[in-house]
Structures are given as structure tokens and as C-alpha cells.
Amino acid sequence: MPRYLSLIRIDESSAPAEGPSPELMRRMGELIEEITKAGVMLDTAGLTPSAQGTRVRWEDGRISVTDGPFTESKEVVGGYALMQCKDRAEALEWTKRFLKVHEEFWTVTCEVREVVEG
């Protein structure tokens, strides 16, 4: 059964400073419990703010290292979900449900990509 990685991109400037609301966390917990019981969720987690991240880049044969925050980025990877689904349609359906648990003021984008086995 194929695996899909959903990279969760957020606009840190639109996220509440105090973090997700208790209501959002309750709805998210219920969805994660449901997707886990369905045998779909393999792993998921949120990431620390980009201000605590570091980018390592390879370009023209040289390494550069840049500490966050990354002011040139509108959206940053805020988390991920690794799912095992029967097909891409199922992965997209679970991803849509994930997005819908957020309040309307959030700006969240998920990039769903199949994991290449090999």
C-alpha cells in the first residue's frame, strides 16, 4: 500500500501568537485518533517555529548555513503527516479533513507527495 507524506505549510504571520486554540487541539486530537484507528496514520508531528530552524544549502559546490527566522519565506513547513493509503484520492481526502479542523483565520497549505519505495 503506498505511503504519502503531507508537508504542512503555514504562514507564521497569520498564526496566533499563543498557538492553536484548545478547541482546535481537541478537534485535531479527535481526527488523529480516527485516522490512527483507520490504520492510515504512520507518524505525524508539528515543528518548532522557523526562528529556531537552520537551513543548510548546497550551491555551486559549496555549503552555506543560515539560521532562522527566514524572513524571505511567506510559508514555512510547520509539520508533517506520514500516511499509508490505498491511493492518492484517500490521502487527499484525509488531508482535506485535516485542513478543515482549523479556524478560518489560519492559512495552512498541505503538499501531498507519494513516497517512492525502493
Side-chain angles (χ1 to χ4, degrees):
M1 191 176 292
R3 294 181 299 159
Y4 295 87
L5 181 64
S6 180
L7 295 169
I8 303 159
R9 298 181 182 275
I10 63 168
D11 179 350
E12 289 182 315
S13 67
S14 73
E18 66 277 7
S21 69
E23 181 61 23
L24 170 57
M25 295 307 295
R26 183 191 60 75
R27 290 192 305 267
M28 187 68 67
E30 289 172 356
L31 178 62
I32 290 173
E33 183 177 339
E34 181 182 348
I35 194 171
T36 300
K37 285 181 178 176
V40 170
M41 183 66 75
L42 300 177
D43 191 25
T44 187
L47 302 176
T48 57
S50 65
Q52 299 172 28
T54 302
R55 286 185 178 162
V56 182
R57 181 181 176 95
W58 174 256
E59 182 177 21
D60 296 329
R62 296 189 347 202
I63 293 279
S64 63
V65 178
T66 306
D67 290 330
F70 311 112
T71 55
E72 73 282 359
S73 300
K74 179 165 174 54
E75 291 183 331
V76 298
V77 177
Y80 69 93
L82 182 61
M83 302 175 286
Q84 188 166 8
C85 302
K86 64 182 177 194
D87 56 25
R88 181 177 177 79
E90 183 183 20
L92 293 176
E93 188 56 37
W94 283 111
T95 299
K96 289 175 187 174
R97 290 188 59 191
F98 165 79
L99 290 173
K100 289 178 181 176
V101 302
H102 291 78
E103 292 96 350
E104 291 184 8
F105 58 83
W106 282 87
T107 300
V108 183
T109 304
C110 289
E111 180 178 329
V112 178
R113 299 174 66 177
E114 186 172 350
V115 175
V116 177
E117 303 295 339

